[in-house]
Structure formats: C-alpha cells, structure tokens
Amino acid sequence: GCAHRAAVAPPMVPGWISPPEAVHAANDDPHRGIRGSFVVTVQAVGEDERRIYLNTERDYRHQLNLTIALDRSLRDALQAQLGLPLEQLHNHRLLVQGTARRVRIDFTPDGRPSGKYYFQTHVDVTDPRQVRLAP
C-alpha cells in the first residue's frame, strides 16, 4: 500500500500555493493547470535517466503529491542556487515558481505501454532561479 504520513504544516503565507491546493487546481483545469508560487516541503528526492524529482510526499504516487521535475542537466546549477546537494533537501521548504499541471503516467512493463495509467501533478523547472529556499 501507499504509505502516507500526516505532517504538521507550517502556516501558509498569502499568495503561496500549497501542494493540495495545486493538485486540486490542476485537476480542475488539466490543460492550463495553475500558475504561481508553490511552497513545498521536500519529503523525497528521486531521479531517472533524464529527470530529477523533488516530491512533497514520501510516496510519489500519493494523490496529493506535488512533484517538482527538472532535467538532470540542471543539477549543479540548482545545487549552487540552493547552497546544498539535492539529496540533502529532505524536510527543507522551498518556494517554486511555475505552473502545476496534471501529467499522465503510463505503466510500461518491459518498455511497452500496458494501457494502465495514473496522474501526477508536476511543476516543471527549466531554470534554477525558479527555486529558492523558503523563509
């Protein structure tokens, strides 16, 4: 099963969008998503051969997870921007500028689409200046 740990969230600042608000808004308007400043607490860092993922839930498949996704080529620049290695972002709060959109994730056993899928909500980062440590 999917493990979820309820955490005590820091108080929200007006104008900052929380992960649950981002997920709900992206689901309400899946084509445009929601643009703004997202405040996220990193609970997990993952990567594949192309991208790095900063997740707000320990289980990236959790329906209220907001994923900050960036190309692996941005790793060094983002680490310089934040002043610490990405692997040390666990429990750090970030402000991320961008657009949260619903993304279809296809199950691909053996590299072939199975016809089964689920949705995640992603904010794509194309410039490290989109991300900073939150106060």
Side-chain angles (χ1 to χ4, degrees), residues 74-86 128:
L74 297 176
R75 174 189 289 277
D76 291 341
L78 183 57
Q79 289 178 152
Q81 165 80 9
L82 298 175
L84 69 159
L86 298 185

Side-chain angles (χ1 to χ4, degrees), residues 19-85:
E21 291 170 323
V23 170
H24 290 298
N27 284 333
D28 288 346
D29 191 350
H31 298 290
R32 289 189 304 172
I34 180 172
R35 182 163 183 71
S37 297
F38 303 92
V39 61
V40 302
T41 301
V42 177
Q43 294 298 319
V45 177
E47 61 185 287
D48 60 24
E49 42 299 324
R50 294 180 28 242
R51 304 196 34 96
I52 297 169
Y53 305 98
L54 308 176
N55 295 300
T56 63
E57 299 290 336
R58 289 185 298 183
D59 182 346
Y60 65 88
R61 294 166 298 218
H62 190 280
Q63 60 187 356
L64 292 179
N65 180 62
L66 181 61
T67 297
I68 310 306
L70 59 140
D71 190 89
R72 287 178 62 149
S73 67
L74 297 176
R75 174 189 289 277
D76 291 341
L78 183 57
Q79 289 178 152
Q81 165 80 9
L82 298 175
L84 69 159

Side-chain angles (χ1 to χ4, degrees), residues 83-100:
L84 69 159
L86 298 185
E87 293 76 20
Q88 292 180 13
L89 285 178
H90 186 23
N91 287 328
H92 281 78
R93 198 160 78 144
L94 304 175
L95 281 178
V96 182
Q97 300 292 319
T99 302

